[in-house]
Structure formats: structure tokens, C-alpha cells
Amino acid sequence: MKSKCRGASLIEILGVCTIMAVVASLSYPTLAGVIADQRMKTTVSQLRLIIKSARQLAVFEGTTVTLCPSADQISCSKEWSDPLIVFTDPNHNEQVDNDEILERQLELKPGEANLRWSSLQPYLQFNREGFTRATNGSLRYCPQDQTKTNSYRKLVISRSGRVRISQPERGLSNDRLNQDFGC
């Protein structure tokens, strides 16, 4: 008996390739959205972690700890697009002195998002009990693409030093979104 080996014809292969190309082109926008959403969640998680670690450091070391943006990693700036630093600051002067230790730093990828800090002071300080010094505040995460309203986040730091994450409600108007999240 002869066995007949039969392969796929050129037209069948072209048909399968066409179907695969159509499916891939339809799924690309969804995949790009999933990747952007994961980047946002990772960044917000990193921000929350650096705030919580600054608070923990203040309690464990029994001293004031400052979290702030800094272009030179020595003194605090008011520009929250600069890398963030955490350091012990017993003299409350918002800069890393010779006897103070730079404990952590966090640099966001350029162009990923804008951070906006809302508080009475342009920095965040924790005292040795883990409370913020004199004020609470909120750190807003604003995506570069302002149309992605589901990517807005606000890290709210209470006077007791606790952090909670707030996000916009579904269907929120752009005016209300700007009012609530200030992006």
C-alpha cells in the first residue's frame, strides 16, 4: 500500500496567515492597554512602598525622616518629576547633611506620568512616632495620556502617616476629574 503524504497548499497557508494577522491586529490595542495599566499599577505600588518605608524608618530609627524630590540628591526641590529621596533629617532642614543618611531613592521613567504633591509643605516628613510632621497631603499620579481617566490615582497620606489609594469613579466628567485629581 502506498501512503499518501499530503501537505497544506499555498492557498491554505495564506488563508491561515491572513486570519492570524487580523486577530493580531485586533488584539494589539487591548494588549497595549494592559501593558500601560500594569505600568501604572507598578509605579503606584512603588510610590506607596517608598512612603511606607519612610514612615517605618522614622519609627525604627526614632528620628525625623524626609521624603521629597531632589535633582541633586542633597536638597529637596519642589519639582515632583525629580527623583524621590528618603533620608534621616533630625534637624528638619530638608537636605542631606554630612551626618545624615540617604536611605532610598526612586526615579520614575521619564514621560511615564506626572506627579503632583498637594500639601502645606513641598515635602513629606515623618516624626519618630510615624506621624506626618504638621500636615497630611496627597500625591497625585497623572498619566501622560490625559484621556486615560481610569489611570488617575491619588495616594492620600493621613496625619497618622497611613497611606490609601484613591481612584476616579467610572463615568466621571473631565471637569470633576480635574477638580478631584488636579491633573
Side-chain angles (χ1 to χ4, degrees), residues 157-172:
I157 299 95
S158 69
R159 175 77 175 88
S160 66
R162 305 273 182 182
V163 181
R164 71 176 170 83
I165 297 174
S166 174
Q167 63 188 43
E169 301 168 9
R170 293 192 185 276
L172 200 61

Side-chain angles (χ1 to χ4, degrees), residues 18-90:
T18 302
I19 291 170
M20 287 176 57
V22 168
V23 169
S25 68
L26 291 175
S27 65
Y28 176 75
T30 303
L31 182 61
V34 167
I35 291 170
D37 188 53
Q38 190 59 40
R39 281 188 186 138
M40 177 270 303
K41 287 178 181 177
T42 300
T43 302
V44 170
S45 178
Q46 288 175 328
L47 291 168
R48 184 176 187 176
L49 179 64
I50 200 167
I51 294 167
K52 288 174 81 173
S53 67
R55 181 176 185 246
Q56 281 181 328
L57 181 66
V59 172
F60 290 145
E61 295 291 326
T63 187
T64 300
V65 172
T66 300
L67 183 149
C68 65
S70 175
D72 59 5
Q73 301 191 353
I74 294 174
S75 59
C76 292
S77 71
K78 294 180 182 182
E79 189 56 51
W80 283 79
S81 61
D82 290 339
L84 303 181
I85 60 172
V86 173
F87 60 96
T88 57
D89 194 15

Side-chain angles (χ1 to χ4, degrees), residues 11-159:
I11 294 184
E12 291 170 333
I13 293 173
L14 287 174
V16 169
C17 287
T18 302
I19 291 170
M20 287 176 57
V22 168
V23 169
S25 68
L26 291 175
S27 65
Y28 176 75
T30 303
L31 182 61
V34 167
I35 291 170
D37 188 53
Q38 190 59 40
R39 281 188 186 138
M40 177 270 303
K41 287 178 181 177
T42 300
T43 302
V44 170
S45 178
Q46 288 175 328
L47 291 168
R48 184 176 187 176
L49 179 64
I50 200 167
I51 294 167
K52 288 174 81 173
S53 67
R55 181 176 185 246
Q56 281 181 328
L57 181 66
V59 172
F60 290 145
E61 295 291 326
T63 187
T64 300
V65 172
T66 300
L67 183 149
C68 65
S70 175
D72 59 5
Q73 301 191 353
I74 294 174
S75 59
C76 292
S77 71
K78 294 180 182 182
E79 189 56 51
W80 283 79
S81 61
D82 290 339
L84 303 181
I85 60 172
V86 173
F87 60 96
T88 57
D89 194 15
N91 59 2
H92 316 292
N93 68 349
E94 298 90 45
Q95 67 181 19
V96 181
D97 296 324
N98 291 334
D99 60 335
E100 298 171 348
I101 302 168
L102 178 62
E103 296 286 344
R104 287 192 73 160
Q105 57 187 23
L106 174 65
E107 187 169 357
L108 298 179
K109 293 179 183 173
E112 181 177 331
N114 296 317
L115 294 180
R116 298 198 195 318
W117 174 248
S118 297
S119 182
L120 296 176
Q121 304 295 333
Y123 51 84
L124 178 60
Q125 282 185 331
F126 293 100
N127 65 21
R128 64 186 179 159
E129 288 89 25
F131 288 87
T132 60
R133 288 197 66 232
T135 184
N136 56 355
S138 61
L139 184 61
R140 292 172 171 87
Y141 173 93
C142 307
Q144 287 293 92
D145 184 358
Q146 298 289 316
T147 62
K148 296 187 179 200
T149 57
N150 62 335
S151 294
Y152 287 74
R153 294 293 184 272
K154 185 177 0 177
L155 288 91
V156 181
I157 299 95
S158 69
R159 175 77 175 88

